[in-house]
Amino acid sequence: MRKRRYNPPDSLVEVTCRTFQNRRLLRPVPEVRDLILGIVGRAQRRYGLEIHALVFLSTHYHLLVTAANAQQLARFVGYVNSNVAREIGRLTGWRDHFWGQRYQAILVSSEEAAQVSRLYYVLAQGVKEGLVLHPRDWPGPHCAAALVGEEELQGTWFDRSREYEAKRSKGGDQEARRFAERETVVLRPLPCWQDLDEATRRANIREMVAAIVEQARVERQGQPVLGVAALQRQDPQSRAPVVKRSPAPLIHAATRVVREQYRRAYRLFDEAYQAASEALRAGDRGARFPAGSFPCALPWVPLDKPTG
């Protein structure tokens, strides 16, 4: 059974989602990069989520975000995933399921060590696998260059609703670019770095990237990276080898004390949910589910507002 979605207010969350059967549907060619950044930028503007880091590899993506609550996160990710599936499916000719399963969201504690560790992990994507030499070499969406001020993460959003209506009213084909808008993904500092000045944050990122590049160089033991050209030649409908992964943790935390605190809070949330679920099955339509939860067949339960 999947664990229940549990997001305390304004939580830092690492979001991951994989393509169906580990297919290379997100192959990092320019058209795919442009579409994905346009969709993520539109979703961010629509739902107001703070994005701290992102990377889209050929078979999966990672986002490091701050979500006000579980509903905001679900709406944002649902919007991104549905539109990516539609647009990339249209581009690649893929007509089957696009995503392998529901997205995975893991909380990250407020500890600086935990937050920096997850940022390091996201920045290392594409390099640690031996695909490119440096994070900025990744040809798909990657936050490394943007976090040090070397580029803006911009893409194209296509308003398919307006395009469809124009085709219905005027008949015939309509040029898709007429219904295109540029969108920008805005990256915010990690919560633990919000009080640092921009120069310090960028210096920290450059130091992390240098460590990532050096660690990957040592681990390759002289072997060359796959390279951009080979990555972009891959068939988007082909299946990448499945790498054995360890079970996802309940939370990314730097210390055992914080992990235990979270486990206790989650256990209380889960017990309250189960009790309400049993009451609902017994016919009690007024069963009280815990704040922030997604009851089956009932609306999301809002978080309690502070009083006083």
Side-chain angles (χ1 to χ4, degrees), residues 266-286:
Y266 178 78
R267 192 179 307 119
L268 291 173
F269 175 86
D270 187 52
E271 288 171 356
Y273 186 101
Q274 289 187 51
S277 182
E278 289 170 4
L280 181 63
R281 285 197 297 269
D284 180 5
R285 298 294 294 178

Side-chain angles (χ1 to χ4, degrees), residues 120 127 133-135 208-218 220:
Y120 185 99
V127 176
L133 288 171
H134 194 284
M208 291 169 71
V209 167
I212 288 166
V213 171
E214 176 58 20
Q215 181 181 353
R217 184 193 67 79
V218 171
R220 285 198 309 275

Side-chain angles (χ1 to χ4, degrees), residues 176-195:
R177 285 285 163 186
R178 290 181 52 205
F179 308 99
E181 300 175 33
R182 295 297 285 173
E183 294 284 358
T184 301
V185 178
V186 179
L187 297 181
R188 302 289 300 160
L190 286 174
C192 67
W193 283 358
Q194 300 239 345
D195 294 333

Side-chain angles (χ1 to χ4, degrees), residues 228-240:
V228 172
L231 281 165
Q232 295 182 332
R233 283 197 303 267
Q234 291 176 327
D235 179 358
Q237 297 191 17
S238 64
R239 298 171 67 167

